[in-house]
């Protein structure tokens, strides 16, 4: 049974990160990763966030409306599966502080790109779907932060809003469901970890819907600026923590 103080801390971190996700549309794992890593080992943090993201992906899919072409659907399944497999192998075989450092750099680069307004451009949607699913899958399996990066790549196409949203819903569900399955098979989810995951689901749902409600009373531009600043800090801190551990 996890310590009560640990449960409360994890509950509050997931709640806060989910509010950010509801406000901005991204950033749950990127905000929660450095905070949870203060109280949990990196591997346990990633497994927990992937499971929380899996629960979120179900909510996201229910709220999404639209369809995607069958070819793109197959691409998401195939390339996400390949990416997740590689990501979980990295999580199990590579020094986790190296992965933590890389995750911090990814968060920092993502925040800077978003701040600058930089947009990727893909002439062929199939290429965008392939890269988004593969790279997003690797980051999902090894760091739980595949969603924002995949969204950044798919944003470089001319997808309609509903098609983009539904594509991301499918990516979320496939990548995080498969990651969770691989964690289970490789023994990364023990009974105590499972209890922690179950405990966090209501926190995620409550935080997400509160964040969505707050968007009606808070200026969207201010929200975006604050969230990106938080991501910059999260990226710097996560990178520093990983490097400090490696150099110790």
């Amino acid at each position: 049974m996890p310590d009560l103080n640990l449960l409360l801390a994890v509950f509050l971190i997931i709640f806060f990160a989910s509010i950010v996700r509801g406000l901005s549309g991204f950033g749950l794992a990127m905000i929660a990763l450095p905070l949870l890593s203060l109280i949990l080992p990196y591997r346990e943090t990633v497994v927990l966030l992937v499971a929380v993201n899996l629960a979120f992906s179900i909510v996201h899919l229910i709220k999404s409306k639209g369809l995607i072409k069958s070819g793109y659907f197959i691409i998401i399944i195939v390339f996400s599966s390949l990416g997740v497999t590689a990501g979980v192998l990295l999580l199990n075989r590579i020094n986790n502080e190296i992965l933590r450092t890389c995750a911090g750099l990814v968060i920092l680069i993502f925040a800077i790109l978003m701040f600058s307004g930089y947009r990727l451009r893909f002439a062929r949607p199939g290429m965008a779907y392939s890269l988004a699913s593969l790279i997003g899958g690797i980051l999902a399996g090894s760091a739980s932060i595949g969603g924002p990066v995949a969204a950044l790549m798919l944003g470089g196409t001319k997808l309609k809003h509903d098609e983009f949203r539904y594509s991301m819903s499918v990516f979320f569900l496939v990548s995080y469901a498969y990651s969770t399955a691989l964690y289970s098979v490789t023994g990364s989810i023990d009974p105590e970890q499972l209890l922690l995951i179950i405990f966090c689901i209501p926190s995620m749902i409550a935080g997400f819907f509160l964040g969505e409600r707050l968007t009606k009373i808070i200026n969207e531009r201010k929200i975006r600026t604050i969230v990106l600043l938080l991501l910059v800090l999260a990226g710097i801190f996560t990178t520093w923590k990983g490097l400090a551990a490696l150099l110790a």
Side-chain angles (χ1 to χ4, degrees), residues 36-236:
L36 287 174
S37 67
L38 293 173
I39 56 177
L40 292 172
Y42 178 81
R43 185 193 301 266
E44 290 183 26
T45 297
V46 171
V47 173
L48 174 62
L49 287 175
V50 164
V52 169
N53 268 314
L54 173 57
F56 167 77
S57 71
I58 297 172
V59 176
H60 195 277
L61 186 63
I62 293 172
K63 290 172 64 66
S64 298
K65 296 179 181 179
L67 295 171
I68 58 175
K69 296 178 181 178
S70 58
Y72 297 156
F73 185 82
I74 293 172
I75 287 175
I76 291 175
I77 292 176
V78 172
F79 282 87
S80 292
S81 299
L82 290 173
V84 166
T85 302
V88 173
L89 285 173
L90 289 173
L91 185 65
N92 288 331
R93 298 187 180 183
I94 299 294
N95 185 321
N96 281 181
E97 298 307 329
I98 294 177
L99 296 179
R100 188 198 304 271
T101 303
C102 292
L105 291 172
V106 169
I107 295 171
L108 184 58
I109 292 170
F110 173 82
I112 291 172
L113 290 177
M114 293 291 286
F115 252 128
S116 67
Y118 178 78
R119 291 179 64 87
L120 295 170
R121 293 285 185 269
F122 290 96
R124 299 179 179 179
M127 178 62 71
Y129 271 98
S130 300
L131 288 175
S133 300
L134 181 63
I135 297 175
I138 293 172
L139 291 173
S142 64
S144 74
I145 56 173
V149 175
L152 184 66
M153 292 183 173
L154 281 185
T157 64
K158 296 181 179 180
L159 294 174
K160 295 180 181 179
H161 176 74
D162 286 347
E163 188 176 4
F164 170 82
R165 187 175 176 85
Y166 195 77
S167 295
M168 287 305 303
S169 295
V170 174
F171 168 78
F172 282 135
L173 188 61
V174 171
S175 60
Y176 292 120
Y178 186 46
S179 294
T180 302
L182 288 182
Y183 293 151
S184 300
V185 170
T186 56
S188 297
I189 302 179
D190 56 29
E192 186 170 310
Q193 181 85 346
L194 181 60
L195 182 62
L196 198 59
I197 290 167
I198 293 171
F199 186 77
C200 286
I201 303 305
S203 175
M204 180 276 294
I205 295 173
F208 174 69
F209 282 106
L210 176 59
E212 284 202 325
R213 289 292 185 90
L214 291 175
T215 58
K216 299 177 182 178
I217 60 176
I218 304 177
N219 181 274
E220 183 178 348
R221 182 173 293 181
K222 289 182 179 180
I223 292 173
R224 183 181 176 86
T225 300
I226 292 171
V227 171
L228 290 178
L229 284 173
L230 287 174
L231 289 182
V232 169
L233 293 175
I236 292 172

Side-chain angles (χ1 to χ4, degrees), residues 16-34:
F16 171 68
S18 298
I19 291 175
V20 172
R21 177 63 177 82
L23 279 168
S24 63
F26 58 91
L28 191 161
M30 289 185 169
I31 293 294
L33 182 67

